[in-house]
């Protein structure tokens, strides 16, 4: 077994440096996709990749790809994550996996270890949701899940994704042609902070992810009647806002009915925006998440019924739209069992778990075998400025990532694309 250990001071310094490349006019650690700060973050990662000895390029979808040639070549082990953040986000989500993968490359080179496989590192473009209604954009492009309809999506100003991409140096035509040849990829691994409280709560160092939760997004539009708030009796109102409010409460109630299930109403708007006017229109946008696909389908049905009932009770019309329907993604044996064995052999405590957050790994799982390694998040906080993971909690994750790469390299043939590497096909990723 490998005795190679990551260099904590180097990793910590780079994490701190990358975390400074943020929009100072926004709260927290904001590096949103399609911004100059996102470009700077991916450029910084590419610089580190070059310094680590990787041959790098940027594909047509803005993904930064680096390759460390293997002894035999022909087949690949892929590692990666992302550098963009949500607005007001934290400084560990995504970049922990990017910098951890680069650290693996350096450790291999510094210890004169050459893999049989090529080692490919990917910094995925735009993992977090953008203003055009998409997430995991770079990984979807790599797996062929984008088309011209994707480019026509617009933000609230009416600007299309096709018009926005050039600001990040991405040509829309090249974006559509960024499909990667996954037939030669033996496995994909992603190191990530948990973004939840479970590992810290149970006192475990490593999370072995078995399933990435499915995500169903919805948009409910209510149309009532605008009236004077002071003179219109309660029993004759057609209040769109009240119908929307009842639907928000239904989201919470439905989510509480499942196991490891979540429901959130994230965007709510009443119009007109006036306290002395009965709402003529209202909209609610939100989501359900969970590891059980059948529960997600049932939640869809129940919320659609609840929105209809709330509207009918108030003489309001409702249009219900499910904008995404991404099924749960089971991750793959023998990858998960290898991660678990590595953690045990290294003496790191572990737990088997599901991911409530979406990841590029969930998209890549449609094309090859995938595993995810979680490290703890302090107080379970994420997507907020308080997001934090101790360096001493990250380093065991890098150790597990490195040793898993070494074992997968020896366990699967690396002689060429036709070699049997156990490449699996899995469902779950939907076209955007």
């Amino acid at each position: 077994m490998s005795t190679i250990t990551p260099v904590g001071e180097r990793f910590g310094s780079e994490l701190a440096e990358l975390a400074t490349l943020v929009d100072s006019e926004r709260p927290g650690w904001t590096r949103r996709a399609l911004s100059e700060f996102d470009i700077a973050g991916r450029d910084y990662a590419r610089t580190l990749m070059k310094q680590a000895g990787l041959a790098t390029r940027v594909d047509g979808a803005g993904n930064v790809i680096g390759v460390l040639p293997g002894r035999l070549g022909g087949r690949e082990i892929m590692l990666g994550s992302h550098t963009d953040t949500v607005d007001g986000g934290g400084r560990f989500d995504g970049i922990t996996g990017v910098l951890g993968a680069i650290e693996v490359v350096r450790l291999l080179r510094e210890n004169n270890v050459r893999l049989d496989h090529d080692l490919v590192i990917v910094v995925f473009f735009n993992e977090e949701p953008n203003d055009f209604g998409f997430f995991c954009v770079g990984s979807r492009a790599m797996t062929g899940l984008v088309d011209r309809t994707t480019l026509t999506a617009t933000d609230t100003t009416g600007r299309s994704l096709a018009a926005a991409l050039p600001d990040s140096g991405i040509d829309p035509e090249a974006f559509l042609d960024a499909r990667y040849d996954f037939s030669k990829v033996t496995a994909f691994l992603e190191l990530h902070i948990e973004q939840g409280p479970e590992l810290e709560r149970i006192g475990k160092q490593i999370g072995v992810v078995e399933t990435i939760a499915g995500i169903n997004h919805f948009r409910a539009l209510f149309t009532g009647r605008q009236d004077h708030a002071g003179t219109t009796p309660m029993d004759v109102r057609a209040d769109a806002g009240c119908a929307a409010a009842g639907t928000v409460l239904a989201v919470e109630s439905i989510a509480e009915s499942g196991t490891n299930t979540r429901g959130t109403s994230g965007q709510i708007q009443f119009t007109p925006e006036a306290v002395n006017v009965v709402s003529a229109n209202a909209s609610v946008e939100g989501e359900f998440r969970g590891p059980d696909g059948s529960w997600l389908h049932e939640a869809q049905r129940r919320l659609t019924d609840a929105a209809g009932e709330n509207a009918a009770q108030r003489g309001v019309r409702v249009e219900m739209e499910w904008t995404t329907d991404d099924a749960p993604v089971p991750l793959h044996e023998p990858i998960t069992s290898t991660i678990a064995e590595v953690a045990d052999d290294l003496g790191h405590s572990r737990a088997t778990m599901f991911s409530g957050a979406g990841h590029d790994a969930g998209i890549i799982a449609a094309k090859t075998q995938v595993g995810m390694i979680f490290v703890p998040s302090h107080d379970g906080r994420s997507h907020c400025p308080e997001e934090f993971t101790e360096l001493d909690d990250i380093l065991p994750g890098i150790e597990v990532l490195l040793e898993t790469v070494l074992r997968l390299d020896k366990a699967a043939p690396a002689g060429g694309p036709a070699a049997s590497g156990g490449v699996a096909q899995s469902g779950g990723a939907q076209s955007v």
Side-chain angles (χ1 to χ4, degrees):
M1 185 180 69
S2 168
T3 58
I4 303 172
T5 57
V7 180
E9 183 178 355
R10 175 172 62 193
F11 178 90
S13 174
E14 291 170 353
L15 190 146
E17 178 66 21
L18 180 50
T20 66
L21 303 176
V22 294
D23 185 351
S24 61
E25 296 183 358
R26 300 300 303 159
W29 312 82
T30 300
R31 191 185 311 105
R32 293 202 70 198
L34 298 164
S35 72
E36 61 183 287
F37 310 100
D38 173 51
I39 295 172
R42 285 182 288 124
D43 284 349
Y44 178 73
R46 187 180 186 186
T47 296
L48 294 181
M49 291 161 75
K50 290 179 178 178
Q51 292 173 352
L54 297 174
T56 69
R57 65 183 177 90
V58 180
D59 74 4
N63 300 301
V64 181
I65 300 173
V67 179
L68 181 68
R71 186 176 62 87
L72 300 179
R75 291 194 61 79
E76 302 171 350
I77 294 173
M78 182 180 285
L79 315 178
S81 197
H82 62 99
T83 55
D84 64 307
T85 73
V86 298
D87 187 33
R91 54 186 162 139
F92 294 85
D93 178 2
I95 70 174
T96 296
V98 168
L99 298 178
I102 296 171
E103 179 68 8
V104 165
V105 172
R106 283 189 297 232
L107 292 170
L108 291 171
R109 289 175 57 84
E110 290 167 358
N111 289 274
N112 298 313
V113 177
R114 190 171 185 188
L115 303 177
D116 290 339
H117 288 70
D118 294 345
L119 185 62
V120 179
I121 310 300
V122 183
V123 183
F124 292 104
F125 172 69
N126 194 179
E127 190 265 3
E128 301 290 2
N130 60 33
D131 293 335
F132 303 90
F134 300 137
F135 62 98
C136 292
V137 175
S139 54
R140 290 180 190 267
M142 288 183 73
T143 55
L145 294 176
V146 298
D147 56 28
R148 293 199 177 276
T149 303
T150 311
L151 294 175
T152 64
T154 57
D155 62 14
T156 56
T157 71
R159 190 186 193 199
S160 70
L161 179 60
L165 286 174
D167 289 346
S168 290
I170 299 172
D171 177 81
E173 292 301 320
F175 172 76
L176 296 177
D177 195 32
R179 188 189 297 256
Y180 194 86
D181 180 9
F182 280 95
S183 69
K184 57 188 178 182
V185 180
T186 293
F188 172 83
L189 302 172
E190 183 169 5
L191 171 67
H192 210 281
I193 60 170
E194 180 195 349
Q195 301 182 270
E198 186 66 12
L199 287 175
E200 186 177 70
R201 186 183 67 80
I202 62 178
K204 303 295 185 181
Q205 295 171 286
I206 299 294
V208 182
V209 180
E210 284 192 325
T211 304
I212 297 174
I215 306 175
N216 291 355
H217 290 132
F218 69 87
R219 181 186 296 116
L221 303 177
F222 298 89
T223 303
R225 189 183 68 201
Q226 182 172 329
D227 281 304
H228 194 294
T231 61
T232 307
M234 300 301 291
D235 61 350
V236 299
R237 297 184 179 198
D239 192 330
C242 286
T247 302
V248 170
L249 294 177
V251 171
E252 180 183 52
S253 176
I254 293 167
E256 289 174 342
S257 71
T259 301
N260 292 324
T261 52
R262 313 283 189 262
T264 305
S265 299
Q267 293 183 332
I268 305 168
Q269 185 175 17
F270 294 176
T271 55
E273 294 182 343
V275 297
N276 62 343
V277 180
V278 177
S279 297
N281 300 285
S283 64
V284 180
E285 296 186 42
E287 64 174 29
F288 287 114
R289 299 190 186 210
D292 182 344
S294 61
W295 180 87
L296 287 170
H297 288 140
E298 177 65 11
Q300 271 197 28
R301 185 195 64 77
R302 289 178 60 186
L303 185 65
T304 300
D305 289 348
E309 291 167 3
N310 274 282
Q313 289 171 7
R314 295 169 175 84
V316 171
R317 291 188 292 108
V318 60
E319 299 176 38
M320 192 76 177
E321 179 185 10
W322 292 92
T323 55
T324 63
D325 184 11
D326 287 350
V329 180
L331 301 191
H332 301 90
E333 286 284 357
I335 310 298
T336 53
S337 62
T338 300
I339 294 170
E341 291 166 3
V342 166
D344 291 343
D345 291 345
L346 290 172
H348 299 318
S349 59
R350 63 172 172 89
T352 299
M353 59 198 314
F354 81 100
S355 173
H359 299 283
D360 290 303
I363 305 300
I364 303 301
K367 294 296 183 180
T368 189
Q369 297 188 112
V370 167
M372 286 199 75
I373 301 163
F374 276 176
V375 293
S377 294
H378 182 58
D379 288 339
R381 304 295 304 281
S382 186
H383 281 189
C384 61
E386 294 79 17
E387 177 183 276
F388 185 75
T389 296
E390 294 282 358
L391 180 60
D392 286 346
D393 287 332
I394 297 174
L395 299 183
I398 299 175
E399 291 177 356
V400 172
L401 181 65
L402 170 61
E403 181 62 28
T404 301
V405 167
L406 292 171
R407 294 196 187 184
L408 292 177
D409 181 57
K410 297 304 180 186
S420 60
V423 176
Q425 300 295 319
S426 170
Q430 304 296 313
S431 178
V432 296

